Amino acid sequence: MLKFISVVFCFIVSFDVLADEPITPLVPIEGLSPDKVKLGQQLFNDNRLSKDNSISCASCHLLSKHGADNRTRSIGINGSQGIIKTPTVYNSAFNFVQFWDGRSRTLNQQVSGPIHNPIEMGSHWLEVIDKLSADPAVAVQFKTLYDNGLTAANVADAITTFERSLITLNSRFDRWLEGDEKALSANEKQGYQLFKAFGCISCHQGRNVGGNMYAYMGTMGDYFSDRGQPITVADYGRFNVTGVEDDKFLFKVPSLRLVALQRYFFHDASERRLVSAIEVMAKYQLGRNINEQDAELIAAFLRSLVGQHPLLEPQ
């Protein structure tokens, strides 16, 4: 009996400790209509959303990889190049705003951005609706799922519903948070402790390990001067939305949930190695010079954040 009480007590203590962690497990979003998710996925992959029928949402958001593309800048219609690195669409439902500069407050608002952007899809809703209306099968789907049928608002709603289903669950780190001590290696646990001790957790916390606040790029150093490249419009971040001088170089903090799968890092895609990106962030955001060994341990922790989704290639 005493042994049983001891085991229960230890479990409760362990659970309480994990419950106090600044990162919480990802959970699926409940109540999504399966039929709308299916329609949204279809539209997410539909090239007709672009002016010349050449690209879809999926062209820049590779769902089999990490929810973004493997370029420094995405390519839109007519070979146009974007001005900022494409962020992942996975887990974006948990971001407090959308886009690096936060110009859309919801996923639903975000949908219109690429469609209307002249160097992305270069189209507009009237054109998109005309194309989709010419497809009887699509028109029937909308008539079945929405009282007012095929409209711009309903196209955006379907795509948003699909995007809200793109949650990467059951990461090894989440399993550890839920009490599975064997889910993480000793190095990964040490990396997490360093992640907290160095202060990375101050901006990257919550269930999305980021995505819930703004931060200046170069809080503790002149990142843009040291970068050695001219400042671009995209570098101004939130300023491009508000016009407020103090908002220059202010960006939405990205989620780190799939950062270990990325090909490039930061809004400007200036780093190609995860360990190097960690070192840069430590220097310019925290004012710390960390050694490569500690950066490698933090990278090991970040790899444990990668979860699972049916559309994401197994890691």
Side-chain angles (χ1 to χ4, degrees), residues 267-285:
H267 76 282
D268 58 6
S270 60
E271 286 292 335
R272 294 200 60 172
R273 293 178 62 242
L274 179 59
V275 170
S276 298
I278 292 167
E279 293 170 342
V280 169
M281 285 288 97
K283 178 178 179 180
Y284 291 100
Q285 302 308 110

Side-chain angles (χ1 to χ4, degrees), residues 54-85:
S54 65
I55 63 171
S56 66
C57 306
S59 300
C60 299
H61 295 284
L62 308 179
L63 298 181
S64 64
K65 302 300 182 184
H66 47 76
D69 56 19
N70 291 322
R71 301 174 180 271
T72 57
R73 305 288 186 275
S74 296
I75 303 299
I77 61 170
N78 302 318
S80 301
Q81 188 177 64
I83 64 172
I84 200 166
K85 186 175 76 68

Side-chain angles (χ1 to χ4, degrees), residues 240-271:
N240 293 326
V241 179
T242 67
V244 176
E245 191 71 17
D246 285 346
D247 285 345
K248 282 187 176 178
F249 315 122
L250 186 67
F251 296 90
K252 180 194 70 183
V253 173
S255 165
L256 298 185
R257 279 290 180 175
L258 296 184
V259 68
L261 303 183
Q262 290 181 197
R263 181 75 61 86
Y264 297 95
F265 303 93
F266 312 146
H267 76 282
D268 58 6
S270 60
E271 286 292 335

Side-chain angles (χ1 to χ4, degrees), residues 73 222-232 235 267-270 284:
R73 305 288 186 275
D222 196 341
Y223 169 81
F224 292 101
S225 177
D226 294 347
R227 183 179 65 178
Q229 299 174 8
I231 290 177
T232 68
D235 290 330
H267 76 282
D268 58 6
S270 60
Y284 291 100

Side-chain angles (χ1 to χ4, degrees), residues 8-312:
V8 172
F9 176 75
C10 290
F11 173 78
I12 291 173
V13 170
S14 174
F15 180 81
D16 285 344
V17 170
L18 297 180
D20 288 338
E21 292 293 344
I23 297 174
T24 56
L26 284 173
V27 294
I29 294 177
E30 302 292 339
L32 299 179
S33 162
D35 290 332
K36 288 183 180 179
V37 169
K38 183 177 179 181
L39 175 58
Q41 181 176 1
Q42 177 182 320
L43 294 167
F44 192 86
N45 289 275
D46 197 326
N47 288 354
R48 289 174 294 187
L49 270 62
S50 62
K51 185 173 186 63
D52 61 2
N53 303 322
S54 65
I55 63 171
S56 66
C57 306
S59 300
C60 299
H61 295 284
L62 308 179
L63 298 181
S64 64
K65 302 300 182 184
H66 47 76
D69 56 19
N70 291 322
R71 301 174 180 271
T72 57
R73 305 288 186 275
S74 296
I75 303 299
I77 61 170
N78 302 318
S80 301
Q81 188 177 64
I83 64 172
I84 200 166
K85 186 175 76 68
T86 297
T88 180
V89 70
Y90 277 113
N91 307 310
S92 58
F94 294 133
N95 291 336
F96 84 121
V97 293
Q98 303 299 326
F99 297 114
W100 286 98
D101 58 15
R103 63 185 180 273
S104 289
R105 296 200 60 82
T106 67
L107 270 180
N108 195 276
Q109 291 175 358
Q110 183 273 336
V111 173
S112 295
I115 290 175
H116 288 87
N117 192 317
I119 62 172
E120 293 185 42
M121 291 177 154
S123 188
H124 52 81
W125 278 120
L126 181 60
E127 184 175 60
V128 169
I129 297 305
D130 281 346
K131 290 181 187 178
L132 295 179
S133 297
D135 186 331
V138 171
V140 168
Q141 284 177 288
F142 274 94
K143 186 176 181 180
T144 301
L145 293 175
Y146 295 94
D147 291 340
N148 54 342
L150 179 53
T151 67
N154 292 342
V155 172
D157 179 76
I159 293 174
T160 299
T161 303
F162 169 62
E163 290 177 337
R164 289 169 62 81
S165 76
L166 297 175
I167 311 301
T168 55
L169 304 171
N170 200 38
S171 72
R172 289 187 297 105
F173 184 77
D174 284 359
R175 296 205 302 271
W176 177 77
L177 284 175
E178 292 165 345
D180 182 358
E181 281 294 325
K182 296 181 179 179
L184 297 185
S185 68
N187 280 352
E188 290 165 342
K189 292 176 185 177
Q190 187 177 352
Y192 178 47
Q193 294 308 315
L194 290 172
F195 186 83
K196 292 190 290 184
F198 284 135
C200 313
I201 200 73
S202 62
C203 291
H204 295 284
Q205 78 295 109
R207 57 187 167 187
N208 219 9
V209 198
N212 57 1
M213 61 180 287
Y214 292 113
Y216 290 98
M217 187 66 168
T219 302
M220 302 296 292
D222 196 341
Y223 169 81
F224 292 101
S225 177
D226 294 347
R227 183 179 65 178
Q229 299 174 8
I231 290 177
T232 68
V233 171
D235 290 330
Y236 286 136
R238 187 84 180 129
F239 170 81
N240 293 326
V241 179
T242 67
V244 176
E245 191 71 17
D246 285 346
D247 285 345
K248 282 187 176 178
F249 315 122
L250 186 67
F251 296 90
K252 180 194 70 183
V253 173
S255 165
L256 298 185
R257 279 290 180 175
L258 296 184
V259 68
L261 303 183
Q262 290 181 197
R263 181 75 61 86
Y264 297 95
F265 303 93
F266 312 146
H267 76 282
D268 58 6
S270 60
E271 286 292 335
R272 294 200 60 172
R273 293 178 62 242
L274 179 59
V275 170
S276 298
I278 292 167
E279 293 170 342
V280 169
M281 285 288 97
K283 178 178 179 180
Y284 291 100
Q285 302 308 110
L286 302 172
R288 293 177 175 271
N289 290 315
I290 65 174
N291 60 48
E292 187 165 349
Q293 180 180 359
D294 285 347
E296 289 281 7
L297 289 170
I298 293 174
F301 153 64
L302 294 177
R303 294 185 188 101
S304 77
L305 292 171
V306 177
Q308 302 166 6
H309 188 278
L311 297 175
L312 181 66

